[in-house]
Amino acid sequence: MTSQILAMVFVQLVAAGLGGYALTLWFLKARNLTVIGFHAVAGLAGIETLGANIRLSDLPADAPARGIALLSLELFGAAVVAGLVSALIGKRRPQLANLLLAVHVVGALAALFAALSFARDVSGA
């Protein structure tokens, strides 16, 4: 595995771990904005490293692994929007915010698994 792929996987797993910790705190009604902030930064860094790895890979435009990576980027984008909107409307519309939080979690997990699949295909493992 190249160092770029390892960095991408590491950053995305850190973002997922921080997200899981933030979700645990949310269930305990103990929100921590520092954890949420680091989760957001790590998540955006994970998206950036995925985009860089797509660009740096020598895959042809019609390669299945490239399609999986682009799908992962789209799912990450939807997860970011859902998470941001959920945070913005949380106090005024709690039911909608909870639904968007669920979309955020499911979309991000699906994107993470697609990114890990891309990493496996690119690394040749």
Short mmCIF file of all heavy atoms in Angstrom, two decimals, residues 24-97:
data_model
loop_
_atom_site.label_atom_id
_atom_site.label_comp_id
_atom_site.label_asym_id
_atom_site.label_seq_id
_atom_site.Cartn_x
_atom_site.Cartn_y
_atom_site.Cartn_z
N THR A 24 -21.83 8.83 20.67
CA THR A 24 -21.97 8.31 22.04
C THR A 24 -22.26 9.44 23.02
O THR A 24 -23.14 9.33 23.88
CB THR A 24 -20.69 7.55 22.46
OG1 THR A 24 -20.46 6.49 21.54
CG2 THR A 24 -20.82 7.00 23.87
N LEU A 25 -21.53 10.54 22.87
CA LEU A 25 -21.78 11.70 23.74
C LEU A 25 -23.18 12.27 23.51
O LEU A 25 -23.84 12.71 24.45
CB LEU A 25 -20.72 12.78 23.49
CG LEU A 25 -19.31 12.47 23.94
CD1 LEU A 25 -18.35 13.58 23.53
CD2 LEU A 25 -19.26 12.24 25.44
N TRP A 26 -23.63 12.24 22.26
CA TRP A 26 -24.96 12.75 21.95
C TRP A 26 -26.03 11.91 22.64
O TRP A 26 -27.00 12.45 23.18
CB TRP A 26 -25.15 12.74 20.43
CG TRP A 26 -26.47 13.26 19.96
CD1 TRP A 26 -26.86 14.57 19.87
CD2 TRP A 26 -27.57 12.49 19.50
NE1 TRP A 26 -28.13 14.64 19.37
CE2 TRP A 26 -28.60 13.38 19.14
CE3 TRP A 26 -27.79 11.12 19.36
CZ2 TRP A 26 -29.81 12.95 18.65
CZ3 TRP A 26 -29.00 10.70 18.86
CH2 TRP A 26 -30.00 11.61 18.52
N PHE A 27 -25.84 10.58 22.63
CA PHE A 27 -26.79 9.71 23.33
C PHE A 27 -26.78 9.97 24.84
O PHE A 27 -27.80 9.82 25.51
CB PHE A 27 -26.50 8.23 23.06
CG PHE A 27 -26.99 7.75 21.73
CD1 PHE A 27 -26.13 7.10 20.86
CD2 PHE A 27 -28.30 7.93 21.34
CE1 PHE A 27 -26.58 6.64 19.63
CE2 PHE A 27 -28.77 7.48 20.12
CZ PHE A 27 -27.90 6.84 19.26
N LEU A 28 -25.63 10.34 25.37
CA LEU A 28 -25.52 10.64 26.79
C LEU A 28 -25.90 12.08 27.13
O LEU A 28 -25.79 12.50 28.27
CB LEU A 28 -24.08 10.39 27.26
CG LEU A 28 -23.58 8.95 27.15
CD1 LEU A 28 -22.10 8.87 27.49
CD2 LEU A 28 -24.41 8.04 28.05
N LYS A 29 -26.33 12.83 26.10
CA LYS A 29 -26.71 14.25 26.25
C LYS A 29 -25.55 15.08 26.79
O LYS A 29 -25.74 15.96 27.64
CB LYS A 29 -27.94 14.38 27.13
CG LYS A 29 -29.12 13.56 26.66
CD LYS A 29 -30.35 14.40 26.52
CE LYS A 29 -31.56 13.56 26.22
NZ LYS A 29 -31.70 13.12 24.90
N ALA A 30 -24.35 14.78 26.33
CA ALA A 30 -23.15 15.49 26.78
C ALA A 30 -22.36 15.96 25.56
O ALA A 30 -21.25 15.51 25.31
CB ALA A 30 -22.29 14.58 27.65
N ARG A 31 -22.95 16.84 24.75
CA ARG A 31 -22.29 17.32 23.54
C ARG A 31 -20.97 17.98 23.85
O ARG A 31 -20.85 18.73 24.81
CB ARG A 31 -23.19 18.35 22.84
CG ARG A 31 -23.79 17.83 21.57
CD ARG A 31 -24.71 18.82 20.97
NE ARG A 31 -23.95 19.88 20.31
CZ ARG A 31 -24.48 20.82 19.59
NH1 ARG A 31 -25.78 20.88 19.45
NH2 ARG A 31 -23.75 21.74 19.02
N ASN A 32 -19.97 17.70 23.04
CA ASN A 32 -18.66 18.30 23.19
C ASN A 32 -18.29 18.93 21.85
O ASN A 32 -18.00 18.20 20.89
CB ASN A 32 -17.65 17.25 23.61
CG ASN A 32 -16.29 17.83 23.93
OD1 ASN A 32 -15.91 18.87 23.41
ND2 ASN A 32 -15.55 17.14 24.78
N LEU A 33 -18.29 20.24 21.78
CA LEU A 33 -18.03 20.92 20.51
C LEU A 33 -16.60 20.72 20.00
O LEU A 33 -16.37 20.76 18.79
CB LEU A 33 -18.35 22.41 20.65
CG LEU A 33 -19.83 22.74 20.88
CD1 LEU A 33 -20.03 24.23 21.02
CD2 LEU A 33 -20.70 22.18 19.77
N THR A 34 -15.67 20.47 20.90
CA THR A 34 -14.30 20.20 20.47
C THR A 34 -14.24 18.89 19.69
O THR A 34 -13.61 18.83 18.63
CB THR A 34 -13.36 20.15 21.69
OG1 THR A 34 -13.48 21.38 22.41
CG2 THR A 34 -11.93 19.95 21.26
N VAL A 35 -14.89 17.87 20.19
CA VAL A 35 -14.91 16.58 19.48
C VAL A 35 -15.61 16.74 18.13
O VAL A 35 -15.13 16.23 17.11
CB VAL A 35 -15.62 15.51 20.34
CG1 VAL A 35 -15.81 14.22 19.55
CG2 VAL A 35 -14.84 15.23 21.61
N ILE A 36 -16.72 17.47 18.11
CA ILE A 36 -17.45 17.68 16.86
C ILE A 36 -16.58 18.45 15.86
O ILE A 36 -16.55 18.13 14.67
CB ILE A 36 -18.78 18.40 17.13
CG1 ILE A 36 -19.70 17.49 17.96
CG2 ILE A 36 -19.46 18.80 15.83
CD1 ILE A 36 -20.93 18.18 18.49
N GLY A 37 -15.86 19.45 16.34
CA GLY A 37 -14.98 20.22 15.47
C GLY A 37 -13.87 19.38 14.88
O GLY A 37 -13.59 19.44 13.67
N PHE A 38 -13.22 18.56 15.72
CA PHE A 38 -12.17 17.68 15.20
C PHE A 38 -12.74 16.64 14.25
O PHE A 38 -12.10 16.26 13.26
CB PHE A 38 -11.41 17.01 16.35
CG PHE A 38 -10.36 17.88 16.98
CD1 PHE A 38 -10.42 18.19 18.32
CD2 PHE A 38 -9.31 18.39 16.23
CE1 PHE A 38 -9.46 19.00 18.90
CE2 PHE A 38 -8.34 19.20 16.80
CZ PHE A 38 -8.41 19.51 18.15
N HIS A 39 -13.95 16.18 14.52
CA HIS A 39 -14.63 15.23 13.62
C HIS A 39 -14.85 15.88 12.26
O HIS A 39 -14.58 15.26 11.21
CB HIS A 39 -15.95 14.79 14.24
CG HIS A 39 -16.88 14.09 13.31
ND1 HIS A 39 -16.61 12.86 12.75
CD2 HIS A 39 -18.11 14.45 12.83
CE1 HIS A 39 -17.62 12.50 11.96
NE2 HIS A 39 -18.53 13.45 11.98
N ALA A 40 -15.30 17.12 12.26
CA ALA A 40 -15.55 17.82 10.99
C ALA A 40 -14.25 18.04 10.22
O ALA A 40 -14.20 17.80 9.00
CB ALA A 40 -16.23 19.16 11.26
N VAL A 41 -13.21 18.47 10.90
CA VAL A 41 -11.93 18.70 10.23
C VAL A 41 -11.35 17.40 9.68
O VAL A 41 -10.90 17.34 8.53
CB VAL A 41 -10.93 19.40 11.19
CG1 VAL A 41 -9.53 19.43 10.61
CG2 VAL A 41 -11.41 20.81 11.50
N ALA A 42 -11.39 16.35 10.48
CA ALA A 42 -10.87 15.06 10.02
C ALA A 42 -11.71 14.52 8.86
O ALA A 42 -11.16 13.95 7.91
CB ALA A 42 -10.84 14.05 11.17
N GLY A 43 -13.02 14.69 8.93
CA GLY A 43 -13.88 14.23 7.84
C GLY A 43 -13.58 14.95 6.54
O GLY A 43 -13.47 14.32 5.47
N LEU A 44 -13.44 16.27 6.60
CA LEU A 44 -13.12 17.03 5.39
C LEU A 44 -11.72 16.69 4.88
O LEU A 44 -11.50 16.61 3.66
CB LEU A 44 -13.25 18.52 5.66
CG LEU A 44 -14.69 19.00 5.90
CD1 LEU A 44 -14.70 20.47 6.32
CD2 LEU A 44 -15.56 18.78 4.67
N ALA A 45 -10.78 16.44 5.79
CA ALA A 45 -9.44 16.02 5.37
C ALA A 45 -9.49 14.65 4.70
O ALA A 45 -8.77 14.39 3.73
CB ALA A 45 -8.50 16.01 6.56
N GLY A 46 -10.35 13.77 5.21
CA GLY A 46 -10.51 12.45 4.59
C GLY A 46 -11.07 12.55 3.18
O GLY A 46 -10.65 11.82 2.28
N ILE A 47 -12.01 13.46 2.98
CA ILE A 47 -12.56 13.68 1.65
C ILE A 47 -11.47 14.22 0.72
O ILE A 47 -11.34 13.79 -0.43
CB ILE A 47 -13.77 14.63 1.70
CG1 ILE A 47 -14.92 13.98 2.46
CG2 ILE A 47 -14.20 15.05 0.31
CD1 ILE A 47 -16.06 14.92 2.77
N GLU A 48 -10.68 15.16 1.23
CA GLU A 48 -9.61 15.74 0.42
C GLU A 48 -8.56 14.69 0.04
O GLU A 48 -8.11 14.64 -1.11
CB GLU A 48 -8.93 16.87 1.20
CG GLU A 48 -7.75 17.49 0.50
CD GLU A 48 -8.09 18.13 -0.83
OE1 GLU A 48 -9.21 18.61 -0.98
OE2 GLU A 48 -7.21 18.13 -1.71
N THR A 49 -8.20 13.83 0.97
CA THR A 49 -7.20 12.80 0.65
C THR A 49 -7.76 11.78 -0.34
O THR A 49 -7.03 11.28 -1.19
CB THR A 49 -6.69 12.09 1.91
OG1 THR A 49 -7.79 11.53 2.62
CG2 THR A 49 -5.92 13.04 2.81
N LEU A 50 -9.06 11.50 -0.24
CA LEU A 50 -9.68 10.60 -1.22
C LEU A 50 -9.63 11.23 -2.61
O LEU A 50 -9.26 10.57 -3.60
CB LEU A 50 -11.11 10.27 -0.83
CG LEU A 50 -11.92 9.44 -1.82
CD1 LEU A 50 -11.28 8.08 -2.05
CD2 LEU A 50 -13.35 9.27 -1.33
N GLY A 51 -10.00 12.50 -2.70
CA GLY A 51 -9.94 13.19 -3.99
C GLY A 51 -8.53 13.22 -4.56
O GLY A 51 -8.32 13.02 -5.76
N ALA A 52 -7.56 13.46 -3.70
CA ALA A 52 -6.16 13.47 -4.15
C ALA A 52 -5.74 12.09 -4.64
O ALA A 52 -5.04 11.97 -5.66
CB ALA A 52 -5.25 13.95 -3.03
N ASN A 53 -6.16 11.05 -3.94
CA ASN A 53 -5.79 9.69 -4.36
C ASN A 53 -6.46 9.31 -5.68
O ASN A 53 -5.86 8.59 -6.48
CB ASN A 53 -6.13 8.68 -3.27
CG ASN A 53 -5.07 8.61 -2.22
OD1 ASN A 53 -3.91 8.46 -2.54
ND2 ASN A 53 -5.45 8.73 -0.97
N ILE A 54 -7.67 9.79 -5.90
CA ILE A 54 -8.32 9.53 -7.20
C ILE A 54 -7.51 10.20 -8.30
O ILE A 54 -7.24 9.61 -9.34
CB ILE A 54 -9.77 10.03 -7.19
CG1 ILE A 54 -10.62 9.22 -6.22
CG2 ILE A 54 -10.36 9.96 -8.60
CD1 ILE A 54 -12.00 9.80 -5.97
N ARG A 55 -7.12 11.44 -8.05
CA ARG A 55 -6.38 12.21 -9.04
C ARG A 55 -5.00 11.60 -9.30
O ARG A 55 -4.53 11.56 -10.43
CB ARG A 55 -6.25 13.66 -8.55
CG ARG A 55 -5.47 14.55 -9.44
CD ARG A 55 -6.32 15.02 -10.61
NE ARG A 55 -5.62 15.99 -11.39
CZ ARG A 55 -5.10 15.75 -12.59
NH1 ARG A 55 -5.25 14.57 -13.14
NH2 ARG A 55 -4.46 16.67 -13.24
N LEU A 56 -4.35 11.15 -8.22
CA LEU A 56 -2.99 10.62 -8.37
C LEU A 56 -2.94 9.18 -8.88
O LEU A 56 -1.89 8.74 -9.35
CB LEU A 56 -2.26 10.69 -7.02
CG LEU A 56 -1.95 12.10 -6.51
CD1 LEU A 56 -1.38 12.03 -5.11
CD2 LEU A 56 -1.01 12.82 -7.46
N SER A 57 -4.05 8.46 -8.79
CA SER A 57 -4.05 7.08 -9.26
C SER A 57 -3.95 7.06 -10.79
O SER A 57 -4.38 7.99 -11.46
CB SER A 57 -5.31 6.34 -8.81
OG SER A 57 -6.43 6.83 -9.50
N ASP A 58 -3.37 6.02 -11.30
CA ASP A 58 -3.22 5.91 -12.75
C ASP A 58 -4.35 5.08 -13.36
O ASP A 58 -4.17 4.44 -14.38
CB ASP A 58 -1.85 5.33 -13.10
CG ASP A 58 -1.59 4.00 -12.43
OD1 ASP A 58 -2.42 3.59 -11.58
OD2 ASP A 58 -0.57 3.37 -12.74
N LEU A 59 -5.50 5.11 -12.71
CA LEU A 59 -6.64 4.34 -13.20
C LEU A 59 -7.27 5.04 -14.40
O LEU A 59 -7.40 6.27 -14.42
CB LEU A 59 -7.69 4.20 -12.10
CG LEU A 59 -7.28 3.40 -10.87
CD1 LEU A 59 -8.35 3.51 -9.80
CD2 LEU A 59 -7.07 1.95 -11.25
N PRO A 60 -7.70 4.27 -15.40
CA PRO A 60 -8.42 4.90 -16.51
C PRO A 60 -9.79 5.41 -16.05
O PRO A 60 -10.29 5.01 -14.99
CB PRO A 60 -8.57 3.76 -17.53
CG PRO A 60 -8.30 2.51 -16.79
CD PRO A 60 -7.48 2.85 -15.60
N ALA A 61 -10.36 6.30 -16.82
CA ALA A 61 -11.61 6.95 -16.44
C ALA A 61 -12.76 5.96 -16.26
O ALA A 61 -13.67 6.21 -15.47
CB ALA A 61 -12.00 8.00 -17.48
N ASP A 62 -12.73 4.85 -16.96
CA ASP A 62 -13.83 3.88 -16.87
C ASP A 62 -13.52 2.69 -15.96
O ASP A 62 -14.23 1.69 -15.98
CB ASP A 62 -14.21 3.39 -18.27
CG ASP A 62 -13.06 2.69 -18.98
OD1 ASP A 62 -11.91 2.83 -18.53
OD2 ASP A 62 -13.33 2.03 -20.00
N ALA A 63 -12.48 2.80 -15.14
CA ALA A 63 -12.12 1.71 -14.23
C ALA A 63 -13.16 1.59 -13.12
O ALA A 63 -13.62 2.60 -12.58
CB ALA A 63 -10.75 1.95 -13.62
N PRO A 64 -13.56 0.37 -12.77
CA PRO A 64 -14.55 0.19 -11.69
C PRO A 64 -14.09 0.78 -10.35
O PRO A 64 -14.90 1.35 -9.62
CB PRO A 64 -14.72 -1.32 -11.60
CG PRO A 64 -14.29 -1.85 -12.92
CD PRO A 64 -13.24 -0.91 -13.42
N ALA A 65 -12.81 0.67 -10.04
CA ALA A 65 -12.31 1.22 -8.77
C ALA A 65 -12.47 2.73 -8.74
O ALA A 65 -12.79 3.32 -7.70
CB ALA A 65 -10.85 0.84 -8.56
N ARG A 66 -12.26 3.36 -9.86
CA ARG A 66 -12.43 4.82 -9.94
C ARG A 66 -13.90 5.19 -9.75
O ARG A 66 -14.23 6.17 -9.09
CB ARG A 66 -11.91 5.34 -11.27
CG ARG A 66 -11.89 6.84 -11.36
CD ARG A 66 -11.31 7.26 -12.72
NE ARG A 66 -11.23 8.67 -12.82
CZ ARG A 66 -10.18 9.39 -12.49
NH1 ARG A 66 -9.10 8.80 -12.03
NH2 ARG A 66 -10.18 10.69 -12.62
N GLY A 67 -14.80 4.40 -10.31
CA GLY A 67 -16.23 4.63 -10.12
C GLY A 67 -16.64 4.49 -8.66
O GLY A 67 -17.44 5.27 -8.14
N ILE A 68 -16.06 3.49 -7.99
CA ILE A 68 -16.34 3.31 -6.56
C ILE A 68 -15.85 4.51 -5.77
O ILE A 68 -16.52 5.00 -4.86
CB ILE A 68 -15.70 2.00 -6.05
CG1 ILE A 68 -16.45 0.80 -6.62
CG2 ILE A 68 -15.67 1.95 -4.52
CD1 ILE A 68 -15.78 -0.52 -6.34
N ALA A 69 -14.66 5.01 -6.12
CA ALA A 69 -14.11 6.16 -5.41
C ALA A 69 -14.97 7.41 -5.65
O ALA A 69 -15.21 8.19 -4.72
CB ALA A 69 -12.68 6.42 -5.87
N LEU A 70 -15.44 7.60 -6.86
CA LEU A 70 -16.30 8.76 -7.13
C LEU A 70 -17.64 8.62 -6.40
O LEU A 70 -18.18 9.62 -5.90
CB LEU A 70 -16.50 8.92 -8.63
CG LEU A 70 -15.25 9.31 -9.42
CD1 LEU A 70 -15.53 9.31 -10.91
CD2 LEU A 70 -14.72 10.65 -8.96
N LEU A 71 -18.17 7.41 -6.33
CA LEU A 71 -19.39 7.18 -5.55
C LEU A 71 -19.13 7.51 -4.08
O LEU A 71 -19.96 8.14 -3.42
CB LEU A 71 -19.84 5.73 -5.69
CG LEU A 71 -20.99 5.30 -4.78
CD1 LEU A 71 -22.27 6.05 -5.15
CD2 LEU A 71 -21.20 3.81 -4.84
N SER A 72 -17.97 7.13 -3.58
CA SER A 72 -17.61 7.44 -2.20
C SER A 72 -17.56 8.96 -1.98
O SER A 72 -18.06 9.46 -0.97
CB SER A 72 -16.26 6.81 -1.87
OG SER A 72 -15.88 7.14 -0.56
N LEU A 73 -16.98 9.69 -2.92
CA LEU A 73 -16.95 11.15 -2.80
C LEU A 73 -18.36 11.74 -2.77
O LEU A 73 -18.64 12.66 -1.99
CB LEU A 73 -16.17 11.76 -3.97
CG LEU A 73 -14.67 11.81 -3.84
CD1 LEU A 73 -14.05 12.42 -5.09
CD2 LEU A 73 -14.24 12.60 -2.61
N GLU A 74 -19.24 11.22 -3.60
CA GLU A 74 -20.62 11.72 -3.62
C GLU A 74 -21.34 11.42 -2.31
O GLU A 74 -22.06 12.27 -1.77
CB GLU A 74 -21.38 11.11 -4.80
CG GLU A 74 -20.86 11.59 -6.15
CD GLU A 74 -21.37 10.75 -7.31
OE1 GLU A 74 -22.12 9.77 -7.08
OE2 GLU A 74 -21.00 11.07 -8.45
N LEU A 75 -21.13 10.23 -1.78
CA LEU A 75 -21.75 9.88 -0.50
C LEU A 75 -21.18 10.72 0.64
O LEU A 75 -21.92 11.17 1.52
CB LEU A 75 -21.55 8.39 -0.20
CG LEU A 75 -22.36 7.43 -1.05
CD1 LEU A 75 -21.88 6.00 -0.84
CD2 LEU A 75 -23.84 7.55 -0.73
N PHE A 76 -19.87 10.96 0.63
CA PHE A 76 -19.27 11.84 1.64
C PHE A 76 -19.85 13.25 1.53
O PHE A 76 -20.11 13.89 2.55
CB PHE A 76 -17.75 11.90 1.49
CG PHE A 76 -17.01 10.82 2.22
CD1 PHE A 76 -16.00 10.11 1.59
CD2 PHE A 76 -17.28 10.53 3.54
CE1 PHE A 76 -15.29 9.13 2.25
CE2 PHE A 76 -16.59 9.53 4.22
CZ PHE A 76 -15.59 8.84 3.57
N GLY A 77 -20.03 13.73 0.31
CA GLY A 77 -20.62 15.06 0.13
C GLY A 77 -22.03 15.14 0.70
O GLY A 77 -22.38 16.11 1.39
N ALA A 78 -22.84 14.12 0.44
CA ALA A 78 -24.19 14.10 0.99
C ALA A 78 -24.16 14.02 2.51
O ALA A 78 -24.97 14.67 3.20
CB ALA A 78 -24.97 12.91 0.42
N ALA A 79 -23.21 13.27 3.05
CA ALA A 79 -23.09 13.15 4.52
C ALA A 79 -22.69 14.48 5.14
O ALA A 79 -23.20 14.87 6.19
CB ALA A 79 -22.08 12.07 4.88
N VAL A 80 -21.79 15.21 4.48
CA VAL A 80 -21.37 16.52 5.00
C VAL A 80 -22.55 17.48 5.01
O VAL A 80 -22.79 18.17 6.01
CB VAL A 80 -20.20 17.09 4.16
CG1 VAL A 80 -19.98 18.56 4.47
CG2 VAL A 80 -18.94 16.31 4.41
N VAL A 81 -23.29 17.52 3.93
CA VAL A 81 -24.45 18.42 3.87
C VAL A 81 -25.48 18.05 4.93
O VAL A 81 -26.01 18.92 5.64
CB VAL A 81 -25.07 18.40 2.45
CG1 VAL A 81 -26.40 19.12 2.42
CG2 VAL A 81 -24.11 19.02 1.45
N ALA A 82 -25.76 16.75 5.07
CA ALA A 82 -26.74 16.32 6.07
C ALA A 82 -26.27 16.66 7.48
O ALA A 82 -27.06 17.12 8.31
CB ALA A 82 -26.99 14.82 5.95
N GLY A 83 -24.99 16.46 7.77
CA GLY A 83 -24.47 16.79 9.09
C GLY A 83 -24.51 18.28 9.37
O GLY A 83 -24.87 18.71 10.47
N LEU A 84 -24.17 19.08 8.38
CA LEU A 84 -24.18 20.53 8.55
C LEU A 84 -25.59 21.06 8.75
O LEU A 84 -25.86 21.84 9.67
CB LEU A 84 -23.52 21.21 7.35
CG LEU A 84 -23.45 22.73 7.39
CD1 LEU A 84 -22.60 23.19 8.57
CD2 LEU A 84 -22.91 23.27 6.09
N VAL A 85 -26.52 20.63 7.92
CA VAL A 85 -27.91 21.08 8.05
C VAL A 85 -28.51 20.59 9.36
O VAL A 85 -29.25 21.32 10.03
CB VAL A 85 -28.75 20.63 6.82
CG1 VAL A 85 -30.22 20.95 7.02
CG2 VAL A 85 -28.23 21.31 5.56
N SER A 86 -28.17 19.39 9.77
CA SER A 86 -28.65 18.86 11.04
C SER A 86 -28.20 19.75 12.19
O SER A 86 -28.98 20.05 13.10
CB SER A 86 -28.14 17.44 11.24
OG SER A 86 -28.46 16.98 12.52
N ALA A 87 -26.96 20.18 12.16
CA ALA A 87 -26.45 21.06 13.22
C ALA A 87 -27.11 22.43 13.18
O ALA A 87 -27.36 23.04 14.23
CB ALA A 87 -24.94 21.19 13.10
N LEU A 88 -27.41 22.92 11.99
CA LEU A 88 -27.98 24.26 11.87
C LEU A 88 -29.43 24.34 12.32
O LEU A 88 -29.87 25.37 12.82
CB LEU A 88 -27.86 24.76 10.42
CG LEU A 88 -26.45 25.04 9.94
CD1 LEU A 88 -26.47 25.40 8.46
CD2 LEU A 88 -25.81 26.14 10.76
N ILE A 89 -30.19 23.24 12.13
CA ILE A 89 -31.62 23.29 12.46
C ILE A 89 -31.96 22.50 13.71
O ILE A 89 -33.13 22.31 14.03
CB ILE A 89 -32.48 22.79 11.29
CG1 ILE A 89 -32.25 21.30 11.05
CG2 ILE A 89 -32.24 23.59 10.04
CD1 ILE A 89 -33.28 20.68 10.18
N GLY A 90 -30.95 22.04 14.43
CA GLY A 90 -31.15 21.14 15.57
C GLY A 90 -32.13 21.64 16.61
O GLY A 90 -32.96 20.87 17.10
N LYS A 91 -32.06 22.89 16.98
CA LYS A 91 -32.93 23.41 18.05
C LYS A 91 -34.36 23.65 17.57
O LYS A 91 -35.31 23.41 18.29
CB LYS A 91 -32.36 24.73 18.59
CG LYS A 91 -31.01 24.59 19.22
CD LYS A 91 -31.12 24.14 20.63
CE LYS A 91 -29.73 24.13 21.24
NZ LYS A 91 -29.67 23.43 22.46
N ARG A 92 -34.50 24.13 16.34
CA ARG A 92 -35.83 24.49 15.84
C ARG A 92 -36.66 23.30 15.38
O ARG A 92 -37.87 23.28 15.55
CB ARG A 92 -35.71 25.49 14.69
CG ARG A 92 -35.26 26.87 15.16
CD ARG A 92 -35.05 27.79 14.01
NE ARG A 92 -33.73 27.45 13.44
CZ ARG A 92 -33.40 27.61 12.19
NH1 ARG A 92 -34.24 28.10 11.33
NH2 ARG A 92 -32.20 27.30 11.78
N ARG A 93 -36.01 22.31 14.76
CA ARG A 93 -36.72 21.15 14.21
C ARG A 93 -36.02 19.87 14.63
O ARG A 93 -35.31 19.25 13.84
CB ARG A 93 -36.76 21.23 12.68
CG ARG A 93 -37.27 22.52 12.07
CD ARG A 93 -38.74 22.57 11.78
NE ARG A 93 -39.34 21.44 11.16
CZ ARG A 93 -39.58 21.30 9.87
NH1 ARG A 93 -39.25 22.24 9.03
NH2 ARG A 93 -40.18 20.23 9.42
N PRO A 94 -36.20 19.44 15.88
CA PRO A 94 -35.42 18.30 16.38
C PRO A 94 -35.69 16.99 15.63
O PRO A 94 -34.76 16.19 15.45
CB PRO A 94 -35.79 18.21 17.85
CG PRO A 94 -36.99 19.07 18.03
CD PRO A 94 -37.03 20.03 16.91
N GLN A 95 -36.92 16.75 15.20
CA GLN A 95 -37.19 15.49 14.49
C GLN A 95 -36.47 15.46 13.14
O GLN A 95 -35.88 14.43 12.77
CB GLN A 95 -38.70 15.29 14.26
CG GLN A 95 -39.47 14.96 15.51
CD GLN A 95 -39.90 16.21 16.26
OE1 GLN A 95 -39.78 17.33 15.77
NE2 GLN A 95 -40.40 16.03 17.48
N LEU A 96 -36.51 16.57 12.43
CA LEU A 96 -35.81 16.64 11.14
C LEU A 96 -34.30 16.55 11.36
O LEU A 96 -33.59 15.90 10.59
CB LEU A 96 -36.17 17.92 10.41
CG LEU A 96 -35.54 18.12 9.03
CD1 LEU A 96 -35.87 16.98 8.10
CD2 LEU A 96 -35.96 19.45 8.44
N ALA A 97 -33.82 17.18 12.41
CA ALA A 97 -32.39 17.12 12.71
C ALA A 97 -31.96 15.69 13.01
O ALA A 97 -30.88 15.25 12.58
CB ALA A 97 -32.05 18.03 13.89
#
